[in-house]
Amino acid sequence: AAMDLAYVCEWEKKPKSDHCPSIPLVCAWSCRNLIAFTTDLRNEEEKDLTHMVHIIDTEHPWDVYSVNSGHAEVITCLEWDQSGSRLLSADADGHIKCWSMTDHLANSWENTVGSMVEGDPVVALSWLHNGVKLALHVEKSGASNFGEKFSRVKFSPSLTLFGGKPMEGWIAVTISGLVTVSLLKPNGQVLTSTESLCRLRCRVALADVAFTGGGNIVVATSDGSSTSPVQFYKVCVSVVNEKCKIDTEILPSLFMRCTTDPARKDKYPAITHLKFLARDMSEQVLLCASNQNSSIVECWSLRKEGLPVNNIFQQISPVVGDKQPMILKWRILSATNDLDRVSAVALPKLPISLTNTDLKVANDTKFFPGLGLALAFHDGSVHIVHRLSLQTMAVFYGSSSQRPVDEQAIKRQRTAGPLIHFKAMQLSWTSLALAGIDSHGKLSMLRISPSMGHVLDMNMSLRHLLFLLEYCMVTGYDWWDILLHVQPNMVQNLVEKLHEEYMRQNAALQQVLSTRIVAMKASLCKLSSSTIARVCDYHAKLFLIAISCTLKSLLRPHFLNTPDKSPGDRLTEICSKITDIDIDKVMINLKTEEFVLEMTTLQSLQQLIQWVGDFVLYLLASLPNQGSPVRPGHSFLRDGASLGMFRELMVVIRIWGLLKPSCLPVYTATSDTQDSMSLLFRLLTKLWLCCREENHITEPDDTLIDECCLLPSQLLIPNIDWLPINDGIISKLQNKQLVRLQFGKAPGLVGHTVSSQFDAFVRAPGQPKIDHLRRLHLGAYPTEECKSCTRCGCVTMLKSPNKVTAVKQWEQRWIKNCLCGGLWRRMPLSYS
């Protein structure tokens, strides 16, 4: 099927009379896969509606954060910013509020700043453009370079600060024809200015905002009647003497074609939807006109056309070259036939390139994300239509809209009373998922196949998903909606291909994306029972990279006028050059004075140092039975780069141990005289030498394996705390069965194959909990407030127990996002 329901999430049952059908609902979907939406439910206790904004993360939809918005009137607009971490809400009283996360928690929001146009309902709202625009070239999806596939389009920000940095702010249009712009200054001040769109102010029932490449803003407005023109205005914003200044000018307008067509002249009296096809495409607009039962949709585009000049004037006019004068004119691109009444429209956010070759390749390979827009109808169905031709590409029949068999059935349906339909819809950032809020406040999550239901061979399906995964890797957007389409048998291939593509990029880009690709592989491996153990390895690898960077950054050059290499780089260089298996011989080559740190700092790093020591011991002890890839740690045994990092850290720790012996990792050894560190270093070096060069990996020799077999009799092998419980929804959606959820109630985690295998690496409930990032034990029933990652489930304390700067520096690494890039959410105290 081209579209199917992944899950629905509804509120606890309330009497039907609570709905206010006339209230518009709004929803917005951020690039971090957070969805904000409103409902029209009225509480029994309160006579008035409380205007709530509900925010969910698509992976934990039941964990809804409902914030009382403080808006006195109905909320008319919700808009996320480019980074997906701030939300604007506007109401029918002219108030606009900007919401941001408290302590970077996705389930805790506060209103920081705002603006208002008193008593004047807001009909359109947008953040100003930050000048970043990409284009996805489907034609180049086979190219090796990410820069060719996703090219940066020259686009100016709406407003720049000194030095060309884009200025943040928002623009809104009100019902009385005013345009208001608020600018956020870096010091937190808000500059607001309001102007009339044109000298003759008239009612604006619908409006939309788009941006031009030159940094201007285009506003489209309609008074709601299809007999009136749809007007367009150019808006320029500037800052003059610390004040915000707005200039507007009128652009060409248009009349909908259905009103000039004699057959349909008075059929559709109202314009119900007016949208630019994309925020950064001001030259294409989508219009929908409706009556009580049906609608028609038209797509228009703005073109430059030559103006013919009459012969009489051609002789006498001075020759200004052979160019004829040009004017801008709206031309209709396409229109639909009569449709059922449209209740909501969702536009694609994927910035797909629309050149003829790209469109042709997309059509040949059946790659349709970003090419379709969604229309929801009053009978509960959803159609996806092509954004240029408006031809139907896919249809989803809701619960109440079964395909009518004959005329009688249609008539019966019409009289059966109001049907459930979507009042607000949004497409995800890759267009692979669609969220709808229906007239009962229920949230439905629909999967949309990238090929719109065309059956493709496995290779092609993988290529489509890979292309979008790479797009998310380059932009930093969350890729949850792509995982909806990954089947367990695709995981292995996708991970390998993703790695191949990554290795084809230049070294600088590889470094920028180094942690993101590891996090991506981990999230893919979660989806198949055969790769679940590798999730643990990828998370350990993220942790290792972070520890290595933090510990190396603590090293200080002894003299200020040092050569160009930092002590961290020199350490790497010396460790790779001197392949000696004796730790002290490697140590002698380093300048010990670079490693001198305060004693308190060293002591505070003990937990991280202990993890390094434990992990090295665990890896070496698991070398003899390396034949089983289902054990965590398996991939490290062939990973020269990671083993090299461990080797460097062992050297650093050894030097620090001379300064302060109590910071060393603690081992439980059978003999008192044994030097555990140098034993482990010797074995680690031998293993590292086997796989140091990626294309020349040798098998470890028998003596090394024998020595590793003896380890458990010399040292107590620690239990590695792998991972927290995986409580997200994504792994439960693979068998394509609809999952029914309820807001506020976590679903039971039963009867799923992948999660049962996962539990092998997870602490059982009732066992002591651990802070996965600080490596501290929290006890079986933690008393400290914790936060957990929305993607990998990693748990850590909200408040830092540490005062030492070095540890603060470690904690800064994951204050905004988890090491895997996921957002944090506050956990209930009773999470044990």
Side-chain angles (χ1 to χ4, degrees):
M3 297 170 77
D4 63 311
L5 265 175
Y7 62 74
V8 295
C9 200
E10 43 203 332
W11 301 93
E12 282 180 66
K13 48 184 178 301
K14 294 232 177 105
K16 292 273 189 296
S17 59
D18 283 351
H19 299 283
C20 311
S22 59
I23 285 188
L25 298 185
V26 278
C27 78
W29 191 323
S30 85
C31 61
R32 309 292 294 273
N33 282 323
L34 295 174
I35 297 178
F37 62 100
T38 60
T39 46
D40 57 1
L41 297 175
R42 182 187 274 144
N43 285 344
E44 277 87 49
E45 304 86 65
E46 305 174 26
K47 290 288 162 280
D48 298 330
L49 271 164
T50 326
H51 299 288
M52 307 291 275
V53 175
H54 310 286
I55 297 176
I56 60 156
D57 155 47
T58 51
E59 173 76 326
H60 305 89
W62 57 88
D63 183 16
V64 60
Y65 182 75
S66 302
V67 53
N68 187 348
S69 64
H71 283 297
E73 290 293 328
V74 177
I75 297 171
T76 54
C77 307
L78 287 173
E79 282 288 326
W80 289 101
D81 71 344
Q82 294 284 126
S83 69
S85 49
R86 284 182 308 183
L87 178 71
L88 286 178
S89 63
D91 66 12
D93 196 25
H95 287 252
I96 300 171
K97 299 188 176 201
C98 172
W99 301 86
S100 51
M101 288 186 244
T102 323
D103 299 332
H104 306 289
L105 295 169
N107 55 357
S108 181
W109 293 78
E110 59 189 358
N111 166 224
T112 40
V113 290
S115 65
M116 58 185 245
V117 184
E118 190 65 60
D120 201 352
V122 175
V123 288
L125 175 66
S126 170
W127 288 90
L128 295 178
H129 203 287
N130 63 0
V132 176
K133 184 183 175 184
L134 285 180
L136 273 85
H137 300 282
V138 187
E139 173 200 8
K140 302 249 173 64
S141 68
S144 58
N145 183 349
F146 284 167
E148 286 177 43
K149 294 184 202 185
F150 318 111
S151 64
R152 183 88 186 254
V153 180
K154 201 167 163 33
F155 208 88
S156 301
S158 312
L159 197 60
T160 52
L161 289 158
F162 180 72
K165 188 172 180 251
M167 189 151 187
E168 297 185 313
W170 57 83
I171 174 169
V173 181
T174 69
I175 208 160
S176 71
L178 294 175
V179 57
T180 174
V181 174
S182 295
L183 305 175
L184 294 176
K185 291 185 65 183
N187 62 8
Q189 214 182 337
V190 182
L191 302 177
T192 301
S193 167
T194 307
E195 275 299 328
S196 173
L197 268 173
C198 62
R199 287 207 195 93
L200 279 173
R201 263 170 74 185
C202 54
R203 176 170 185 268
V204 175
L206 302 164
D208 199 20
V209 180
F211 301 93
T212 67
N216 292 323
I217 304 167
V218 178
V219 173
T221 67
S222 155
D223 65 3
S225 158
S226 61
T227 53
S228 312
V230 177
Q231 304 274 10
F232 293 86
Y233 304 94
K234 184 167 99 177
V235 177
C236 304
V237 183
S238 51
V239 175
V240 181
N241 303 337
E242 291 293 298
K243 286 202 171 62
C244 172
K245 182 169 175 291
I246 304 174
D247 294 303
T248 61
E249 79 181 66
I250 298 180
L251 294 173
S253 55
L254 66 89
F255 280 97
M256 282 189 72
R257 192 176 70 182
C258 60
T259 56
T260 53
D261 169 9
R264 294 199 175 104
K265 191 155 190 269
D266 303 319
K267 192 172 173 189
Y268 300 107
I271 296 185
T272 50
H273 296 89
L274 159 65
K275 297 258 183 213
F276 285 105
L277 271 180
R279 279 266 180 259
D280 42 27
M281 282 187 64
S282 54
E283 59 285 348
Q284 275 197 11
V285 68
L286 186 83
L287 298 161
C288 169
S290 310
N291 57 27
Q292 288 293 290
N293 309 323
S294 55
S295 295
I296 190 164
V297 176
E298 298 178 0
C299 181
W300 289 71
S301 90
L302 189 64
R303 307 252 175 98
K304 266 196 176 137
E305 292 186 0
L307 193 64
V309 180
N310 191 301
N311 287 338
I312 300 176
F313 298 110
Q314 279 183 349
Q315 275 91 45
I316 49 179
S317 69
V319 180
V320 194
D322 294 330
K323 281 188 183 159
Q324 55 181 152
M326 303 292 272
I327 55 162
L328 286 171
K329 202 163 186 180
W330 285 99
R331 288 278 180 213
I332 188 160
L333 268 186
S334 51
T336 60
N337 297 327
D338 300 2
L339 307 164
D340 201 87
R341 187 164 160 212
V342 173
S343 64
V345 178
L347 296 172
K349 302 184 183 70
L350 194 70
I352 201 129
S353 159
L354 296 174
T355 62
N356 291 342
T357 42
D358 282 313
L359 286 173
K360 184 180 180 313
V361 174
N363 202 33
D364 295 347
T365 57
K366 304 284 176 261
F367 178 82
F368 298 121
L371 290 176
L373 56 97
L375 302 173
F377 296 100
H378 273 265
D379 68 352
S381 64
V382 177
H383 288 215
I384 293 199
V385 298
H386 196 285
R387 62 190 282 178
L388 298 174
S389 67
L390 295 183
Q391 279 164 349
T392 306
M393 300 160 83
V395 182
F396 168 76
Y397 291 96
S399 49
S400 54
S401 66
Q402 285 317 311
R403 300 152 201 226
V405 191
D406 54 24
E407 290 296 313
Q408 285 304 308
I410 297 180
K411 287 205 175 95
R412 274 204 304 281
Q413 266 195 335
R414 285 268 160 84
T415 54
L419 297 166
I420 300 176
H421 58 265
F422 290 138
K423 290 177 76 172
M425 272 194 320
Q426 281 267 311
L427 282 162
S428 76
W429 283 63
T430 58
S431 287
L432 293 186
L434 174 75
I437 313 292
D438 69 19
S439 37
H440 285 179
K442 184 172 76 185
L443 175 104
S444 304
M445 179 64 68
L446 296 163
R447 254 190 216 95
I448 302 177
S449 127
S451 64
M452 292 295 167
H454 290 272
V455 182
L456 301 176
D457 61 22
M458 189 61 159
N459 210 355
M460 202 40 124
S461 313
L462 284 174
R463 238 181 78 181
H464 289 350
L465 295 178
L466 190 67
F467 188 50
L468 292 170
L469 280 169
E470 289 165 0
Y471 169 68
C472 289
M473 188 153 64
V474 170
T475 52
Y477 295 159
D478 187 69
W479 56 92
W480 177 88
D481 37 335
I482 305 175
L483 299 180
L484 278 177
H485 298 266
V486 176
Q487 290 304 311
N489 57 351
M490 300 178 174
V491 170
Q492 187 69 34
N493 275 338
L494 267 178
V495 171
E496 282 167 15
K497 291 201 157 98
L498 196 63
H499 184 74
E500 276 168 31
E501 289 294 326
Y502 168 78
M503 294 312 285
R504 291 162 76 180
Q505 308 311 311
N506 62 31
L509 186 58
Q510 280 191 29
Q511 195 176 357
V512 171
L513 303 176
S514 60
T515 51
R516 205 173 285 157
I517 185 169
V518 177
M520 223 171 224
K521 289 177 184 170
S523 63
L524 286 165
C525 286
K526 243 185 215 179
L527 301 178
S528 156
S529 48
S530 58
T531 51
I532 203 84
R534 282 164 57 193
V535 181
C536 307
D537 291 11
Y538 289 130
H539 283 290
K541 183 153 185 178
L542 283 173
F543 199 67
L544 168 66
I545 293 171
I547 285 189
S548 167
C549 292
T550 304
L551 296 189
K552 278 185 185 172
S553 68
L554 294 173
L555 308 180
R556 290 284 169 266
H558 184 48
F559 302 111
L560 283 179
N561 55 349
T562 48
D564 45 1
K565 283 205 176 81
S566 70
D569 295 343
R570 200 154 54 247
L571 167 77
T572 307
E573 189 182 41
I574 286 173
C575 284
S576 62
K577 203 160 60 186
I578 297 172
T579 57
D580 207 300
I581 56 174
D582 182 351
I583 190 164
D584 296 324
K585 287 191 178 153
V586 179
M587 207 168 82
I588 281 170
N589 292 285
L590 290 163
K591 297 191 173 127
T592 350
E593 55 269 23
E594 291 182 350
F595 292 78
V596 176
L597 290 180
E598 290 178 11
M599 295 304 158
T600 45
T601 306
L602 288 179
Q603 191 55 54
S604 67
L605 295 170
Q606 205 276 327
Q607 277 91 6
L608 302 183
I609 290 173
Q610 183 70 42
W611 180 83
V612 174
D614 282 353
F615 204 85
V616 169
L617 174 53
Y618 171 84
L619 281 184
L620 293 169
S622 68
L623 179 65
N625 56 6
Q626 59 178 331
S628 68
V630 294
R631 284 185 58 133
H634 174 76
S635 63
F636 277 99
L637 301 174
R638 293 271 174 285
D639 180 354
S642 299
L643 294 174
M645 272 187 196
F646 276 123
R647 195 167 165 265
E648 290 165 26
L649 292 176
M650 293 288 274
V651 175
V652 175
I653 293 168
R654 178 74 164 196
I655 299 177
W656 284 346
L658 298 175
L659 296 170
K660 186 168 182 69
S662 64
C663 78
L664 285 171
V666 179
Y667 294 110
T668 313
T670 43
S671 90
D672 297 341
T673 53
Q674 175 185 303
D675 182 352
S676 309
M677 286 278 294
S678 62
L679 167 70
L680 291 175
F681 186 83
R682 192 177 82 235
L683 300 177
L684 178 65
T685 304
K686 285 184 177 174
L687 180 59
W688 168 69
L689 289 172
C690 292
C691 53
R692 196 168 101 179
E693 278 136 22
E694 238 185 74
N695 28 18
H696 183 69
I697 293 180
T698 55
E699 284 303 308
D701 56 3
D702 293 348
T703 50
L704 174 59
I705 289 181
D706 291 346
E707 285 192 81
C708 289
C709 281
L710 289 174
L711 273 178
S713 61
Q714 295 166 307
L715 295 165
L716 181 71
I717 310 298
N719 275 341
I720 298 286
D721 280 293
W722 287 108
L723 272 189
I725 264 179
N726 175 27
D727 62 346
I729 190 87
I730 197 85
S731 52
K732 294 187 212 44
L733 298 175
Q734 288 185 308
N735 51 8
K736 299 275 173 135
Q737 294 292 312
L738 168 63
V739 178
R740 293 190 175 280
L741 304 164
Q742 208 178 27
F743 287 119
K745 279 196 182 143
L749 291 169
V750 283
H752 189 262
T753 48
V754 176
S755 52
S756 61
Q757 292 200 301
F758 207 74
D759 296 342
F761 316 124
V762 169
R763 296 192 155 207
Q767 271 192 325
K769 302 285 181 293
I770 183 164
D771 180 325
H772 292 100
L773 297 179
R774 293 189 181 88
R775 295 316 245 185
L776 297 172
H777 292 275
L778 302 174
Y781 301 100
T783 50
E784 286 292 319
E785 260 205 302
C786 291
K787 55 185 182 181
S788 81
C789 168
T790 51
R791 293 296 172 256
C792 69
C794 184
V795 175
T796 184
M797 286 184 283
L798 255 179
K799 298 208 167 46
S800 166
N802 297 301
K803 298 280 178 291
V804 187
T805 4
V807 185
K808 286 256 169 70
Q809 182 184 343
W810 166 241
E811 289 171 353
Q812 281 295 323
R813 280 189 170 272
W814 33 265
I815 200 149
K816 281 188 178 171
N817 305 320
C818 172
L819 293 177
C820 75
L823 288 168
W824 293 113
R825 60 188 185 123
R826 186 191 296 268
M827 298 184 78
L829 257 179
S830 59
Y831 84 94
S832 49

